[in-house]
Amino acid sequence: MNRRALLASLATGGAASASGCLDSLAGAQHESFQLGYVAVHNSTEDAHQIAIRVRRDGTNVHRSTHDVAGQDGAVVESAIPECDWGSARGRYEVAVQINDSDWVTESFQGYDTDGGDCSIAIAEGTLWEEERLDFGSRRACDYDNPPDGLCSFDS
């Protein structure tokens, strides 16, 4: 595996995917929101070790490692951690590491939080061939059908 090529693809893929998703977050920017879901989907044929780290207001509130099988036909396996970071509002940062490579980070700089599901952030990524990771974020209210595993919060 060419580490330099991997790092370049992670940086490019993450920036490219986040740019489109983050456009939907423009609007009235708020300093804090709830993190309701984190997932990394493995769309490759190979198994990968996926580490996920969540920080709130600069403090680590979650870290987990997942051994995720490769895609089998139409079935895509995913790393979806439990919502153990809680329902506290804050400034969140989610980082993903594939097979001990460098961390790829998604920082949330504010949210158009007009209440309800719009105050809940979703961080989601897909691992493609060549270990290219597309990683970005959306508001839960931007989904017609929120993903299975969305954290339940008492607002």
Side-chain angles (χ1 to χ4, degrees):
M1 175 171 72
N2 183 332
R3 185 171 178 80
R4 197 169 285 180
L6 169 64
L7 296 178
S9 69
L10 289 174
T12 303
S17 68
S19 64
C21 295
L22 292 178
D23 287 345
S24 68
L25 304 183
Q29 300 294 306
H30 298 274
E31 292 297 313
S32 67
F33 53 91
Q34 294 172 306
L35 180 63
Y37 181 76
V38 176
V40 180
H41 312 291
N42 183 8
S43 290
T44 72
E45 294 178 357
D46 299 321
H48 293 281
Q49 186 176 70
I50 299 173
I52 297 172
R53 181 180 67 210
V54 177
R55 290 183 180 176
R56 181 179 53 239
D57 299 324
T59 301
N60 286 332
V61 292
H62 173 85
R63 185 161 178 160
S64 59
T65 303
H66 309 262
D67 292 320
V68 181
Q71 183 172 346
D72 184 13
V75 177
V76 176
E77 299 294 332
S78 303
I80 303 174
E82 296 293 323
C83 301
D84 60 358
W85 49 83
S87 62
R89 294 182 181 275
R91 296 183 73 166
Y92 282 88
E93 174 184 281
V94 179
V96 173
Q97 182 185 51
I98 309 296
N99 300 331
D100 294 322
S101 65
D102 289 339
W103 290 91
V104 176
T105 303
E106 175 70 21
S107 294
F108 305 88
Q109 296 302 315
Y111 243 56
D112 177 7
T113 58
D114 54 358
D117 287 346
C118 287
S119 62
I120 300 173
I122 291 175
E124 197 163 15
T126 301
L127 179 63
W128 302 100
E129 294 303 326
E130 306 294 323
E131 294 187 24
R132 181 178 56 86
L133 176 66
D134 289 335
F135 190 50
S137 58
R138 293 172 62 178
R139 300 175 307 168
C141 65
D142 292 336
Y143 284 87
D144 289 333
N145 295 307
D148 290 336
L150 183 66
C151 306
S152 61
F153 298 126
D154 295 326
S155 298

